[in-house]
Structures are given as C-alpha cells and as structure tokens.
Amino acid sequence: MKYQPETDISYSQAVHVIDRLIMEQHSDWRPDFVEVTDRFILLGYGSVTQGGASGAFIGNVAIGAHSSTTRVASDRIYFESIDDIILYSWKRKFRQWYVVSLLGNNRKHILRTRSLEEAKQMANALQVILDSYENSKK
C-alpha cells in the first residue's frame, strides 16, 4: 500500500519507537533483542552452539576430547543497503495484518502488526533514522 513516511519525531523518539514496536510484536516474529546504532539495526536471536566430541576406551579408562563454538545469531540491517521502506497490507486467517519491510539487497520484514497506526509509526521512525544516516554522510 502506498504510504509516504512522515519525519516529525526526533531521532531518540524514532529509536524508541523502533525498539518498542519490534519487541512488542508477536513472539513468532520478535527477536531476542534489538539495537539501533548510527550505521545499522541489529536484530539478535540468541546464540548457537556447535560442538563435537570423540572418545576412546583403553582398558577400563575412558579418554575423550570435546570442543564447541558458540556464536550470536543475529541480523544486521545496514542503513546504506536500504533502498526503500514498504508498508504491506496482508490477510492471514481472515484477519488484517500490516507488514513494514525494508527493501535493499534483500527484503527484510521488520514489523508485523494488526495496527495500521503502528505500521505507520514504524515507517516514520525508520525514515527519521535513514534521513539522519544520510545527513551524517554529508
């Protein structure tokens, strides 16, 4: 749906709106944490641990080795890679939803909400952040 974001809020208000709306959305779509920096939005999804083990018995003594690697599972959405902010209207199970997506190298759905007002607030806040990033490059 066509929507031209408004930029009538401050930078700090925009950061607060982005954080609040992302963290208040349904748990199926909500990350574990969100952080807005001056260059990107970080969406954190906890950590992932991968490991391996090996072992051997010599007589009745067990000898083994184990190693594991833990890393943070996250997405960084760099402002320089965002081409557009899109607001979609979407029906799911006969209920109206609104989706705010960032278009660029990839499409990233950043907010799913039942409220058109919240979707517009998110688009507005994202536009304030993107404008601030563009102005900082000048």
Side-chain angles (χ1 to χ4, degrees):
M1 63 190 290
K2 293 208 183 274
Y3 178 69
Q4 180 62 41
E6 300 170 7
T7 56
D8 57 351
I9 61 173
S10 70
Y11 182 89
S12 62
Q13 288 172 319
V15 169
H16 173 74
V17 167
I18 291 168
D19 178 63
R20 181 180 62 82
L21 292 177
I22 288 175
M23 295 310 293
E24 286 181 349
Q25 69 185 325
H26 190 278
S27 61
D28 286 348
W29 300 309
R30 179 179 56 229
D32 291 332
F33 67 89
V34 62
E35 182 180 343
V36 180
T37 73
D38 60 338
R39 297 181 309 136
F40 58 83
I41 297 173
L42 177 66
L43 303 173
Y45 299 99
S47 60
V48 177
T49 302
Q50 296 175 326
S54 61
F57 280 102
I58 302 176
N60 38 343
V61 176
I63 300 173
H66 173 74
S67 67
S68 66
T69 304
T70 301
R71 65 179 179 82
V72 174
S74 63
D75 285 333
R76 282 189 181 184
I77 305 167
Y78 286 94
F79 300 138
E80 64 197 41
S81 299
I82 298 172
D83 296 327
D84 204 1
I85 301 165
I86 304 292
L87 196 148
Y88 293 106
S89 174
W90 168 48
K91 291 259 187 188
R92 180 174 188 247
K93 297 182 180 178
F94 307 106
R95 298 179 89 182
Q96 182 65 50
W97 287 83
Y98 300 94
V99 179
V100 178
S101 296
L102 301 174
L103 298 182
N105 297 339
N106 295 309
R107 178 177 305 181
K108 180 67 177 174
H109 302 310
I110 197 161
L111 178 71
R112 295 163 183 92
T113 179
R114 303 265 338 274
S115 166
L116 178 58
E117 186 60 33
E118 285 183 352
K120 288 179 178 181
Q121 287 175 9
M122 176 61 85
N124 295 346
L126 288 166
Q127 190 63 58
V128 167
I129 298 295
L130 292 177
D131 289 351
S132 175
Y133 173 75
E134 288 299 321
N135 289 335
S136 72
K137 295 188 331 184
K138 293 178 183 177

